[in-house]
Amino acid sequence: MKKLLSLITIFIITAFHAQSLKNFAVPKGYNKVTEIKGDLDKDGENETVLVFDTNQTASDYERASEKKDYKRVFYILKNEQGQLKIWKENSKLLYSSGMGFYPDGNILNIQIKNNCLVVEQQFFSNSRHTQTSKYTFRFQNGDFYLIGSYDNFADTCEFNFTNEINFSTGKVIVDKEYSSCDDDNTKTPENFHKEFVHKLTKLIKMDDFKIGEHQFKIPGLKEDFVF
């Protein structure tokens, strides 16, 4: 009897939540960048993730005619009886369409893997440097939480720096590799690799996360792990 009541309660809460979600319609002037589908809350039904260039510019930069720097937004949508409804909207996580030195070469790769949302982005900060980030979010306890962060800053030949953390286990990896752009015997700094455990007091919600605004000290170094 208790099990039956629990199932009824869950059904009522789910139904109420679905009814409270707003219907989705593509905002005027928005252009779709990508679309993926997958199950994010383990209910056996696929959610839809849509990414758009908005009609709002992020800067005055214009790399070519009709190629302005637009802010981006993504929506996580539920399908309720054939109607897409807004489950989550986020405009903090994605770089703008004109980010970096060579925007046409930028990468945006969004996946749903193991019931998690994985957002990977890459841009050129100049003609030789690339900045790559990957953030993993999992739906738990009624919201989306950041459970993984990967950041890589690389030169075409001089260095390759990686900071990575699994927030579920607390495992942190800091890796710095150096090399020379020349064929001579130019002295380069020593490579550095460190692994340690750092657990947050509480996981960060997707809505509270903005790239580069969180940090903690790296033991033994005079620098922070920034994510």
Side-chain angles (χ1 to χ4, degrees):
M1 185 66 179
K2 288 183 178 179
K3 188 175 182 180
L4 177 61
L5 289 173
S6 297
L7 289 172
I8 293 174
T9 301
I10 292 172
F11 176 78
I12 291 173
I13 292 173
T14 303
F16 177 78
H17 178 69
Q19 290 174 1
S20 65
L21 298 180
K22 294 181 179 179
N23 290 344
F24 172 76
V26 178
K28 186 177 180 180
Y30 281 30
N31 293 308
K32 188 170 77 171
V33 177
T34 190
E35 174 180 348
I36 62 166
K37 294 184 179 182
D39 186 2
L40 286 166
D41 56 0
K42 299 181 181 180
D43 65 351
E45 300 292 335
N46 284 343
E47 280 71 50
T48 299
V49 180
L50 289 173
V51 178
F52 291 94
D53 284 341
T54 71
N55 54 11
Q56 303 170 27
T57 54
S59 69
D60 294 330
Y61 174 72
E62 188 170 346
R63 59 189 185 278
S65 178
E66 301 301 321
K67 285 194 174 183
K68 295 182 179 180
D69 181 19
Y70 290 106
K71 294 179 180 180
R72 282 181 168 171
V73 63
F74 71 85
Y75 298 89
I76 303 177
L77 307 174
K78 283 277 191 184
N79 189 330
E80 302 292 345
Q81 298 180 346
Q83 172 66 56
L84 292 177
K85 293 178 176 286
I86 302 173
W87 191 23
K88 181 69 68 176
E89 176 182 350
N90 186 288
S91 57
K92 296 179 181 179
L93 188 61
L94 300 182
Y95 297 131
S96 63
S97 65
M99 183 71 172
F101 179 77
Y102 180 61
D104 287 339
N106 290 355
I107 294 172
L108 172 62
N109 181 25
I110 296 183
Q111 303 178 61
I112 294 177
K113 187 176 180 180
N114 298 326
N115 304 108
C116 294
L117 181 67
V118 183
V119 180
E120 180 180 7
Q121 301 178 92
Q122 183 185 90
F123 68 91
F124 292 84
S125 56
N126 60 30
S127 61
R128 288 177 44 175
H129 297 165
T130 56
Q131 185 80 45
T132 305
S133 64
K134 182 166 66 174
Y135 300 99
T136 302
F137 298 89
R138 182 168 62 204
F139 183 75
Q140 58 189 50
N141 301 322
D143 212 330
F144 286 91
Y145 289 85
L146 180 68
I147 63 165
S149 171
Y150 170 92
D151 181 84
N152 176 265
F153 180 49
D155 182 85
T156 53
C157 52
E158 282 191 345
F159 60 81
N160 193 315
F161 300 158
T162 298
N163 286 347
E164 186 172 5
I165 180 170
N166 181 322
F167 291 104
S168 296
T169 63
K171 182 179 179 180
V172 181
I173 298 174
V174 178
D175 190 83
K176 299 177 184 290
E177 294 183 358
Y178 298 91
S179 57
S180 174
C181 294
D182 302 314
D183 294 331
D184 57 19
N185 295 321
T186 303
K187 187 176 181 180
T188 60
E190 290 186 6
N191 292 339
F192 175 86
H193 184 88
K194 187 180 183 67
E195 296 185 19
F196 60 97
V197 174
H198 178 88
K199 284 208 168 187
L200 300 180
T201 54
K202 63 178 181 178
L203 294 178
I204 301 171
K205 291 182 179 181
M206 180 190 288
D207 290 342
D208 298 328
F209 179 69
K210 192 171 183 180
I211 297 173
E213 294 192 352
H214 305 268
Q215 61 189 44
F216 56 84
K217 292 291 182 182
I218 300 175
L221 294 181
K222 294 181 179 180
E223 62 183 78
D224 293 331
F225 185 107
V226 180
F227 62 97

